[in-house]
Amino acid sequence: MSETLKFVVLSDLHLVRHGAVSMTLDTAERLEQAVGCINERYADADFCIIAGDLADEAEAEAYERLKAIAGGIQIPTYITLGNHDDRATFLAVFGEEWADETGKVNHVIDAKGYRVIVLDSSEPGRVDGVLTALQMDWLRAHLAEAADMPVIVVLHHNANALHIEADTIKLLDDAPFIAALKTHNDIRQVIAGHVHLTSTAIYHGIPFTTLAGGHYSVSFNADQPRTPFKSLTGPGQMAVVLGTPHSTTVLFEDFIDGNAVIGIHTPE
Ligand SMILES: [Fe+2]
């Protein structure tokens, strides 16, 4: 295994019951393609994070399917929740030990000189995201412990507005989150799903990224947030994060796309 931190992020799986589809798409089959891609191309990665919207309607059967399909991922896998999820149902299937002292499904992962913090931004009954005061205390404590390490944060909801229609459902109150992040001087990335499209931004001096995830993707109308937008069949997209002491790179792997290969290049 190399000295470079390497991990993959999946999000927005939107799994449904056996025999059902979501927005015309067989989301379980799409997750199986993601798992196949990870095992084939990223088996040497340090871990995988699944960043919420695991289930579409949060029934136990969807979480059982997640357990069965994601159980095939051959690297350690950390999971958190999104707005489509139900924490009680998730914990009933996966085990109560997945919730920590904040009552939510957060994780701290130390690898290759980095600290990666996974935050559960789901809040029952809400489509937008909430990070509680308890979680902000927890985040500040875990950032303080890692004062000398670069940090990457992964959560479901985007904290920054993207200047599109979906801005109404972003993280509800991002100010305490930004203030907590600002207590650390080396936040390398904050990576989210939720919006079903790819974006990158600097917000309050911190780099923020979203990935399109595993379900349908959306078109957008930049800076025209009241314009109708389309739901599209693809891509199925994961993020691949590479970290060295002085660089942090996010690549986007479309494990489902509409492209045909027109050439293969071999670097010198
Ligand atoms: Fe989603």
Side-chain angles (χ1 to χ4, degrees):
M1 201 173 275
S2 78
E3 283 311 300
T4 301
L5 173 73
K6 184 190 294 187
F7 67 93
V8 298
V9 184
L10 304 179
S11 77
D12 298 281
L13 311 179
H14 291 265
L15 292 170
V16 290
R17 294 181 303 281
H18 279 280
V21 294
S22 174
M23 299 282 289
T24 76
L25 303 175
D26 182 342
T27 47
E29 205 263 329
R30 289 168 78 92
L31 176 58
E32 282 165 2
Q33 287 185 255
V35 172
C37 177
I38 293 170
N39 291 342
E40 189 183 321
R41 289 170 53 74
Y42 303 107
D44 63 340
D46 295 290
F47 51 87
C48 169
I49 297 170
I50 308 179
D53 278 5
L54 312 167
D56 195 54
E57 295 178 10
E59 63 276 69
E61 187 179 341
Y63 293 112
E64 294 286 3
R65 295 186 88 186
L66 172 66
K67 204 173 186 180
I69 300 170
I73 298 173
Q74 291 165 5
I75 53 178
T77 301
Y78 299 86
I79 300 173
T80 192
L81 307 181
N83 50 289
H84 277 257
D85 292 306
D86 180 84
R87 193 171 296 110
T89 309
F90 171 83
L91 293 175
V93 172
F94 275 78
E96 296 295 328
E97 68 277 10
W98 276 72
D100 67 12
E101 63 269 28
T102 72
K104 287 192 165 193
V105 184
N106 310 296
H107 307 280
V108 177
I109 311 157
D110 288 338
K112 306 281 179 63
Y114 273 74
R115 171 157 287 192
V116 180
I117 297 177
V118 182
L119 286 168
D120 175 353
S121 57
S122 70
E123 183 71 12
R126 298 197 70 100
V127 178
D128 53 16
V130 173
L131 295 171
T132 64
L134 214 51
Q135 277 182 295
M136 289 302 89
D137 292 344
W138 181 94
L139 175 61
R140 283 170 181 260
H142 286 92
L143 289 173
E145 279 172 9
D148 299 330
M149 300 162 80
V151 171
I152 299 169
V153 177
V154 179
L155 75 170
H156 182 70
H157 289 83
N158 51 305
N160 54 312
L162 302 184
H163 307 278
I164 59 173
E165 182 79 17
D167 288 350
T168 55
I169 57 168
K170 73 175 200 61
L171 191 70
L172 182 62
D173 179 11
D174 61 76
F177 181 43
I178 299 297
L181 293 174
K182 287 285 190 183
T183 65
H184 195 280
N185 66 12
D186 197 7
I187 304 290
R188 295 290 180 90
Q189 267 293 347
V190 181
I191 300 171
H194 189 48
V195 286
H196 295 213
L197 62 82
T198 316
S199 75
T200 178
I202 297 290
Y203 185 52
H204 295 284
I206 298 168
F208 287 80
T209 293
T210 64
L211 62 144
H215 199 202
Y216 67 93
S217 64
V218 294
S219 70
F220 57 86
N221 300 287
D223 203 29
Q224 297 178 9
R226 309 246 59 88
T227 309
F229 59 96
K230 304 181 195 80
S231 300
L232 305 162
T233 57
Q237 183 181 81
M238 66 179 78
V240 181
V241 185
L242 300 170
T244 72
H246 302 294
S247 73
T248 304
T249 304
V250 184
L251 300 168
F252 299 96
E253 170 89 34
D254 291 350
F255 55 89
I256 300 168
D257 67 28
N259 288 325
V261 177
I262 57 171
I264 295 176
H265 305 274
T266 305
E268 296 299 317

